[in-house]
């Protein structure tokens, strides 16, 4: 499960938050393994918090899409399928569990698509960059 964190930037355009992977330092989005007893969208939200300190909400009940990547483990590599959920960012906290292990940065959506190595993820970001998304205000409470 993964979160595609986005916001409307100062120029009024969509921005995507990317973060560096711990192992290789490549640009990725928050993602993680399924968690027993948790819905996929909940896992995506949790990963956005743990890996990037993001507070917000998953938009929609279905994922935007999925992509595959090779996860390098200690003794082998496995092919993982990742379901991507749209995550509207309200704010980024000053501190979070993996802050000292990763770097985060906001990019224009088209630029973010060019920076990720996984072709399937790049396609998801490009499709989002050119799509219509209904903008909703955050409600306190």
């Amino acid at each position: 499960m993964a979160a595609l964190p986005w916001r409307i930037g100062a120029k009024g355009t969509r921005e995507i938050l990317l973060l560096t992977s711990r192992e290789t330092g490549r640009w990725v989005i928050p993602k993680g393994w399924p968690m027993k007893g948790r819905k996929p969208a909940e896992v995506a939200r949790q990963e956005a918090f743990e890996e990037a300190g993001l507070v917000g909400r998953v938009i929609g009940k279905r994922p935007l899409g999925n992509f595959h990547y090779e996860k390098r483990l200690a003794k082998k590599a496995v092919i993982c399928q990742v379901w991507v959920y749209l995550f509207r960012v309200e704010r980024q906290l000053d501190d979070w569990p993996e802050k000292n292990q990763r770097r985060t940065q906001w990019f224009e959506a088209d630029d973010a698509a060019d920076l990720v190595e996984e072709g399937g993820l790049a396609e998801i970001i490009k499709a989002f960059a050119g799509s219509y998304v209904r903008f909703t205000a955050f409600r306190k409470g």
Side-chain angles (χ1 to χ4, degrees):
M1 290 0 104
L4 182 62
W6 70 282
R7 70 179 183 188
I8 299 300
K11 298 178 194 173
T13 58
R14 292 180 193 177
E15 295 180 339
I16 304 291
L17 183 123
L18 297 178
L19 55 118
T20 54
S21 68
R22 289 186 289 193
E23 296 83 18
T24 64
R26 71 189 192 288
W27 289 111
V28 298
I29 59 175
K31 64 184 176 296
W33 300 101
M35 296 177 187
K36 188 173 183 170
R38 310 263 315 259
K39 293 180 180 177
E42 293 172 358
V43 174
R45 187 180 71 233
Q46 181 68 29
E47 294 299 332
F49 163 72
E50 290 178 7
E51 295 183 5
L54 300 178
V55 175
R57 67 175 176 216
V58 171
I59 304 295
K61 295 183 180 185
R62 295 194 173 123
L64 281 179
N66 68 80
F67 69 96
H68 294 86
Y69 81 104
E70 186 176 88
K71 174 74 174 173
R72 296 170 199 105
L73 301 173
K75 296 185 180 189
K76 64 179 179 176
V78 295
I79 300 297
C80 296
Q81 181 177 33
V82 181
W83 292 95
V84 179
Y85 290 84
L86 192 56
F87 185 80
R88 175 79 190 262
V89 176
E90 181 180 344
R91 68 185 189 278
Q92 186 174 32
L93 301 173
D94 293 332
D95 195 27
W96 61 88
E98 297 182 17
K99 181 175 183 174
N100 295 325
Q101 301 171 39
R102 302 173 185 275
R103 195 168 54 123
T104 63
Q105 188 172 332
W106 288 99
F107 296 97
E108 294 284 332
D110 289 327
D111 294 336
D114 292 336
L115 289 168
V116 297
E117 290 182 10
E118 293 84 3
L121 175 57
E123 290 303 315
I124 291 169
I125 294 172
K126 285 177 188 174
F128 171 69
S131 70
Y132 169 80
V133 173
R134 187 172 145 234
F135 300 106
T136 57
F138 285 103
R139 288 177 276 188
K140 300 272 183 194

